[in-house]
Amino acid sequence: MDTNSTATTPPATAEQRWATGCGIAMVVVTALAVLGAVAVGQLEKSLTGYGHLEGTSGSAAEPLRPGQTVRYDDDLTVTVSPAHREPDDAYSFTITYDNGTDGELRPGGTPPDTGIDTGKSSYAPVVVHGGTPLSPDIPGWGVTVLDQAGSAAVLMPPIPPDGKRTVPVRVKPDKAGSFVTVQVNPEPGGNRDTAYWQFTLG
């Protein structure tokens, strides 16, 4: 007499097969949706040509404070440090470029004599002027950039992918408490948005 018994699994019911099929379908649909969202994001970046600010922070209407960082949609970041007073009543701050893009960045453009400017309507790589981004003509609140050539010399060389560059800037306001605007155009002649910082000196 055979006393061995073989355990048998009852066949899956139609409801169980339907539930399993639905679960697999949901996983496939979710994966396709995620892949589609990534592809759409990459397509949007390729159509815009990169170089746009992420959000409105850093625009002329919403300038940043010193110490804050602006980020571009291709992973370039720019930071303007707080200004520090020096013994001669000048102020110094830095502009740091962190090139997280996959290409070389030329933050100073190509002409070596136009890297740093004080013209309120200038399209130079870096513009420092008195007043605010939207009100640049406040009487008596001008600012002079000192050693423009030295700052431009640091700004000019290209920055390789994953490279970083810190550019020193020295300025002297017409009077203490002046509003100062720093405009950074990271790639003159390109498609990048201009970023703005606003602060006071003194």
Side-chain angles (χ1 to χ4, degrees):
M1 179 175 179
D2 188 4
T3 58
N4 293 330
S5 61
T6 302
T8 59
T9 302
T13 64
E15 290 81 6
Q16 290 172 325
R17 289 194 300 272
W18 183 83
T20 301
C22 282
I24 293 172
M26 288 296 291
V27 169
V28 171
V29 168
T30 301
L32 290 175
V34 170
L35 291 174
V38 171
V40 168
Q42 293 299 323
L43 177 62
E44 285 179 351
K45 286 188 176 182
S46 66
L47 291 176
T48 60
Y50 296 97
H52 295 283
L53 296 174
E54 289 190 347
T56 59
S57 183
S59 65
E62 294 184 27
L64 296 171
R65 296 185 305 276
Q68 291 188 308
T69 299
V70 71
R71 178 177 293 276
Y72 288 83
D73 58 9
D74 59 353
D75 294 329
L76 167 69
T77 62
V78 182
T79 306
V80 173
S81 75
H84 299 285
R85 188 173 183 173
E86 299 182 347
D88 61 355
D89 291 331
Y91 290 81
S92 62
F93 60 90
T94 60
I95 303 170
T96 300
Y97 300 79
D98 193 345
N99 185 14
T101 74
D102 56 4
E104 184 180 83
L105 178 74
R106 301 188 70 90
T110 51
D113 58 342
T114 59
I116 310 286
D117 198 2
T118 56
K120 299 173 181 63
S121 60
S122 174
Y123 292 98
V126 174
V127 180
V128 182
H129 63 77
T132 67
L134 299 179
S135 300
D137 297 312
I138 301 175
W141 285 8
V143 63
T144 301
V145 178
L146 308 175
D147 192 20
Q148 288 180 259
S151 296
V154 178
L155 182 68
M156 290 303 299
I159 304 174
D162 296 323
K164 185 181 283 190
R165 172 81 43 75
T166 298
V167 180
V169 180
R170 293 184 71 242
V171 298
K172 196 161 190 176
D174 290 351
K175 66 177 182 178
S178 293
F179 284 113
V180 173
T181 293
V182 178
Q183 299 174 204
V184 176
N185 179 12
E187 209 159 28
N191 297 319
R192 292 192 181 278
D193 294 335
T194 300
Y196 296 82
W197 285 258
Q198 180 189 318
F199 47 93
T200 59
L201 296 178

